[in-house]
Structure formats: C-alpha cells, structure tokens
Amino acid sequence: MAETIFSKIAAGEVAADILYEDERAIAFRDVNPQAPVHLLVIPRKAIPTLNQVTPDDASLIGHLFLVAAKVAAQEGIAETGYRTVVNCNAGAGQTVYHLHLHVLGGRPMQWPPG
Ligand code: DGP
C-alpha cells in the first residue's frame, strides 16, 4: 500500500490543522478549502478508495460519519447545514488515495453539484 500525504498526517510525519483524533480516525482542515468550512475525516487505516472498503470496515465507516457530525458541530455548521462527500477514483476528482470524507459548510450549496 503506497504512502500518501494523509497516511503521513495520520502518522504525525506531516503537519495538519487537526480538529479531532482518536484511535481510528482524524479530522483536519483541508489545505485547499472549497467552502468557508472544509474539513477532511480520514481513517488511520490506509484504505485507498471506497472500492476497497470491506464488510469488516463497516463500523469504521460509520465512525467516520460520527466524527464528521462531531466536527461539523464543533465548527458551528451542524444547524445551518453541511455536505459530506467521498470522491472515488480520478473520474470523481479523487487525488489522494487514502479514503477521506469531505465535510463542507458555511455557505449555501447547490444541488445537484456541478
Ligand atoms: P480528493 O480530491 O477527494 O482526493 O481530496 C483531496 C483533498 O485533500 C483536497 O481537497 C486537498 C486536500 N489536501 C491535499 N494535500 C493536503 C495536505 O497536505 N494537507 C491537507 N490538510 N489537505 C490536503
């Protein structure tokens, strides 16, 4: 499994603006924000894309969403609203091949997205 910038953040080898971490997940600010609040939630476990998630990861995936809701509340966007996004592979815009959940909020969002 190739190292990514996110596995280095998880290992503490690369700095990030970390908002929350526990034994399974880390949440930090996206370095290239697409909204006033743009957070990333990653598992410590290195899973390249959603396609490699297995039934054994079901609890972990649920945990990522719980962390997303927690940091959204911390950032004050829980009530106004926020979007969670998982890009899977290049055609969807994935650039870092370590599974991550985007949490975007702080501005009105269009649906459907472009
Ligand atoms: P995606 O396109 O779904 O793979 O999203 C990757 C996101 O990761 C993108 O919005 C920019 C962000 N990103 C890339 N490198 C770094 C980094 O070194 N630190 C932080 N905090 N975010 C990064």
Side-chain angles (χ1 to χ4, degrees), residues 66-112:
L66 291 172
V67 171
K70 183 191 286 281
V71 290
Q74 261 176 231
E75 290 294 301
I77 57 171
E79 300 309 322
T80 49
Y82 59 94
R83 180 170 293 164
T84 57
V85 174
V86 177
N87 296 323
C88 183
N89 278 334
Q94 185 173 4
T95 58
V96 180
Y97 285 80
H98 181 120
L99 184 71
H100 52 281
L101 198 59
H102 293 262
V103 179
L104 300 131
R107 65 165 166 80
M109 306 240 170
Q110 293 181 336
W111 189 262

Side-chain angles (χ1 to χ4, degrees), residues 7-25:
S7 59
K8 290 179 182 170
I9 288 172
E13 295 164 9
V14 167
D17 188 355
I18 294 174
L19 302 170
Y20 175 86
E21 61 183 315
D22 62 26
E23 69 286 353
R24 287 192 288 171

Side-chain angles (χ1 to χ4, degrees), residues 5-6 9 28-32 38 40 87 93-96 100 102:
I5 193 76
F6 290 175
I9 288 172
F28 52 93
R29 289 188 204 284
D30 194 296
V31 81
N32 183 24
H38 187 171
L40 299 168
N87 296 323
Q94 185 173 4
T95 58
V96 180
H100 52 281
H102 293 262

